[in-house]
Amino acid sequence: MSQSIYKEKLDIIDGKTALGIELGSTRIKAILIDSKMEPIASGSYEWENSLVDGVWTYSLDEVWQGLQASYRSMTTDVFEKYGEPVKKIGSIGFSAMMHGYLVFDKKNQLLVPFRTWRNAMTEEAEEKLTEAFQYNIPQRWSIAHLYQSVLNKEKHISKIDFITTLSGYVHWQLTGKKVLGVGDASGMFPIDPKMRNYDSKKIAIFENLAKEEGATVDLLGILPKSLVAGEDAGFLTEEGAKLLDTSGNLEAGIVLCPPEGDAGTGMVATNSITKRTGNISAGTSAFAMIVLEEELKEVHREIDLVTTPVGDLVAMVHTNNCSSEINGWMRLFQEFTEVLNLDVSTNKLYEVLFNKALEGDPNCGGLLSYGYYSGENITRVSEGRPLFVRTPESEFTLANFMRMHISSAFGAMRIGMDILKKEGIKIDQLVGHGGIFKTPEVAQRILASAMEAPVTVMETAGEGGAWGIAILASYLQKKETLSLEEFLNEKVFAKSKGTTIAPTDSELKGYETFVRRYEQGLPIEQAAIEHLK
């Protein structure tokens, strides 16, 4: 046994580890890290949201099925590598896709099916709250879902005892604590960056708006308590330990960090919590996060204002759609190889076709696509209609086809970044992470063209948010001596390696041509909604 494996085994036996589990849109991932904050085991569970009665949702039964499966997969990985069962863990953290609508009554019963971030069904609430708050409230935010339910006179409003996000729900079930990390909380309701808590003035405005509609809402009474990184958020109960680990090996009493959203864990995983730093998370959805030096001068419907896990203000350019259409075409290409009786692995298929994209024209040869599986707030598209279109003169090659889809995945985000550019926002560092960067250089190079800035991808980029929440859990054990910024710089990223790619002039010009075509073609997408029911 090597010295490093021996030390990792001791960390497992002594409980000097931290566990992070993130519930993403298509995968629930668990990562166990050692005392040096390095991943030593992982597990995952694949899942998909369902469109039920016009609502994008996940069943709570599958939430637990997926959590248990990903945890079990992680412990199996530990046993195969180290010959040890997992009994003690130093600290645990949970994170998940942000926003959405999970409401419970006093008996802890779910009042309506989970409405995820993907739903574009709260347009009236978005408009009225943004106007009343003078603060952008996107459709996917929890408060928009709540107010839309008030406007719709839904019967469950009077029964609400607790409203939370997916990470907050999981944390509550395992600890009994109704709390939320400030980053995730900032996607439920606006945060006052000075107080690092819910904005009291806006709470009063909301409660008056609800009263005008005949509803009484005690917002502070039903929202989870907001906590900053490093604060104790409760302990794993006996029931919680059995719920997470069906084998019964896991001990209760483990401390948990505040549950966070995938935006916050992305910031941590890329060391982007300092002002003038930014990161781009790209998966089923995508978002660019820029930590601000001061508040924006104007209210922009395309820009969310959320916070870092310590409560600093962040401008978020969020797009509901990113890689789903790419994955859809990859499944088609995979089926084609199977029809030909070719044995091509999924990883190989992605690698070959992504690299082919680098042979394409920087402007994608005149091809155009919209990977809109759901509505897109930034471009004011209400429903999803994945679409590919070209002219007879377009250069219809495989290379251009692949480059077009990757370029399109960042199209809506580029439109949002143009707004920040006009606000004079300065960025010193931009880091990309997420599954789309698994094939080296390809998506990174195209993203650099879209962002008009160098993009760095770290060696840990593939670990993503599960690693980020594991880091926040680990910080809970060391918070007394270091700020989160110091902890990340000195203990986590001091020796980290990454690759930085800057766009060339031809790539910049090519993407500029592509994104203008993308904007001009939006009426085609609207027509698809109107005529393809």
Side-chain angles (χ1 to χ4, degrees):
M1 182 182 297
S2 70
Q3 187 69 18
S4 63
I5 291 179
Y6 177 71
K7 289 181 178 179
E8 291 163 3
K9 182 172 181 175
L10 286 180
D11 281 348
I12 293 167
I13 295 171
D14 296 337
K16 294 181 178 179
T17 54
L19 172 66
I21 301 183
E22 181 158 281
L23 296 94
S25 301
T26 58
R27 181 174 62 163
I28 301 174
K29 186 172 183 179
I31 287 187
L32 189 71
I33 63 176
D34 61 15
S35 56
K36 295 182 179 179
M37 275 70 70
E38 295 179 357
I40 56 175
S42 65
S44 64
Y45 173 84
E46 305 294 324
W47 70 339
E48 279 284 355
N49 53 188
S50 302
L51 188 61
V52 181
D53 296 327
V55 176
W56 288 106
T57 189
Y58 298 86
S59 75
L60 295 191
D61 286 342
E62 190 173 14
V63 168
W64 295 108
Q65 179 184 336
L67 280 168
Q68 291 164 356
S70 62
Y71 180 85
R72 184 167 55 249
S73 176
M74 181 276 296
T75 59
T76 299
D77 192 22
V78 168
F79 193 81
E80 290 176 350
K81 290 177 179 176
Y82 306 100
E84 294 290 337
V86 177
K87 296 181 178 180
K88 299 178 182 179
I89 297 174
S91 53
I92 300 176
F94 291 92
S95 61
M97 49 193 136
M98 292 174 66
H99 318 298
Y101 193 64
L102 277 162
V103 286
F104 300 85
D105 63 17
K106 290 183 178 180
K107 295 182 180 180
N108 300 334
Q109 297 299 307
L110 186 67
L111 289 169
V112 294
F114 175 28
R115 299 170 185 174
T116 76
W117 59 270
R118 199 167 200 171
N119 290 287
M121 56 197 295
T122 62
E123 185 176 0
E124 184 182 2
E126 173 192 39
E127 295 287 339
K128 290 185 176 180
L129 289 178
T130 297
E131 177 64 28
F133 290 168
Q134 283 301 291
Y135 190 101
N136 185 36
I137 302 296
Q139 289 199 47
R140 65 186 177 280
W141 279 34
S142 306
I143 196 63
H145 280 281
L146 177 60
Y147 189 49
Q148 191 65 54
S149 298
V150 169
L151 293 172
N152 293 345
K153 312 296 184 186
E154 296 187 36
K155 293 180 180 179
H156 74 272
I157 291 296
S158 62
K159 301 176 183 178
I160 297 175
D161 184 65
F162 182 44
I163 177 172
T164 190
T165 64
L166 184 54
S167 75
Y169 163 71
V170 170
H171 184 97
W172 169 41
Q173 295 298 298
L174 297 179
T175 66
K177 299 293 184 181
K178 296 179 178 180
V179 300
L180 203 60
V182 65
D184 206 0
S186 69
M188 293 192 76
F189 192 87
I191 294 291
D192 180 343
K194 294 179 181 178
M195 302 302 295
R196 301 179 192 274
N197 207 335
Y198 301 114
D199 190 316
S200 58
K201 293 181 179 178
K202 292 180 176 62
I203 283 177
I205 292 171
F206 179 86
E207 291 179 349
N208 285 332
L209 288 173
K211 189 177 295 185
E212 290 173 4
E213 296 295 329
T216 300
V217 180
D218 174 16
L219 208 50
L220 281 181
I222 65 174
L223 282 169
K225 182 181 179 181
S226 176
L227 302 175
V228 298
E231 290 191 79
D232 291 349
F235 297 87
L236 187 67
T237 63
E238 292 282 355
E239 296 79 7
K242 293 175 183 177
L243 185 57
L244 181 61
D245 180 12
T246 55
S247 74
N249 285 327
L250 186 63
E251 297 178 0
I254 299 167
V255 65
L256 271 72
C257 70
E260 265 297 349
D262 48 4
T265 58
M267 285 184 261
V268 171
T270 56
N271 195 19
S272 303
I273 67 164
T274 307
K275 292 176 181 178
R276 292 178 59 141
T277 64
N279 80 91
I280 293 174
S281 175
T284 304
S285 63
F287 43 81
M289 313 281 296
I290 311 299
V291 186
L292 301 176
E293 297 178 276
E294 57 188 20
E295 294 189 30
L296 298 179
K297 301 178 185 69
E298 299 178 26
V299 176
H300 299 284
R301 296 296 181 90
E302 301 86 353
I303 309 296
D304 298 12
L305 291 174
V306 292
T307 76
T308 68
V310 294
D312 290 327
L313 201 61
V314 174
M316 175 198 278
V317 179
H318 183 283
T319 62
N320 288 348
N321 303 278
C322 183
S323 63
S324 292
E325 181 70 342
I326 296 172
N327 296 336
W329 281 101
M330 288 298 187
R331 287 191 291 270
L332 184 71
F333 290 140
Q334 185 79 64
E335 185 179 350
F336 178 66
T337 65
E338 292 169 357
V339 168
L340 294 177
N341 291 319
L342 299 175
D343 185 14
V344 182
S345 70
T346 301
N347 287 341
K348 183 66 174 179
L349 191 68
Y350 272 86
E351 178 187 345
V352 169
L353 291 177
F354 263 54
N355 280 311
K356 190 68 178 177
L358 293 183
E359 299 175 20
D361 300 323
N363 67 0
C364 305
L367 307 182
L368 178 62
S369 74
Y370 299 96
Y372 290 2
Y373 270 59
S374 63
E376 191 58 74
N377 181 61
I378 287 180
T379 52
R380 295 284 185 247
V381 173
S382 61
E383 298 178 30
R385 295 292 187 277
L387 183 149
F388 164 57
V389 63
R390 62 189 175 98
T391 68
E393 294 79 21
S394 300
E395 294 293 329
F396 189 28
T397 65
L398 180 60
N400 281 337
F401 186 76
M402 289 307 304
R403 191 176 188 105
M404 169 203 65
H405 280 302
I406 300 172
S407 297
S408 180
F410 302 126
M413 182 186 293
R414 163 60 181 268
I415 293 171
M417 291 298 290
D418 283 344
I419 294 169
L420 291 182
K421 186 177 179 181
K422 293 175 182 176
E423 276 266 1
I425 301 302
K426 300 291 192 298
I427 306 172
D428 294 333
Q429 173 186 308
L430 197 57
V431 180
H433 69 109
I436 202 168
F437 301 108
K438 188 173 182 179
T439 303
E441 185 179 345
V442 183
Q444 182 183 3
R445 181 169 290 283
I446 293 173
L447 177 62
S449 303
M451 298 297 101
E452 299 180 297
V455 172
T456 299
V457 172
M458 298 178 177
E459 289 181 347
T460 53
E463 303 296 353
W467 184 62
I469 191 64
I471 293 297
L472 285 173
S474 183
Y475 175 60
L476 193 60
Q477 304 173 45
K478 303 170 178 66
K479 65 186 182 198
E480 291 84 0
T481 56
L482 297 170
S483 68
L484 181 59
E485 182 179 341
E486 292 169 336
F487 175 70
L488 294 177
N489 287 330
E490 298 173 19
K491 302 296 183 181
V492 182
F493 292 99
K495 297 180 180 179
S496 64
K497 297 179 181 179
T499 302
T500 301
I501 292 178
T504 65
D505 288 342
S506 64
E507 288 171 335
L508 288 170
K509 292 176 182 176
Y511 197 90
E512 176 71 20
T513 300
F514 171 81
V515 79
R516 297 291 83 86
R517 183 189 314 127
Y518 183 97
E519 290 179 301
Q520 292 164 7
L522 283 168
I524 306 172
E525 180 71 16
Q526 294 289 0
I529 295 172
E530 294 171 14
H531 300 289
L532 188 62
K533 298 295 183 182

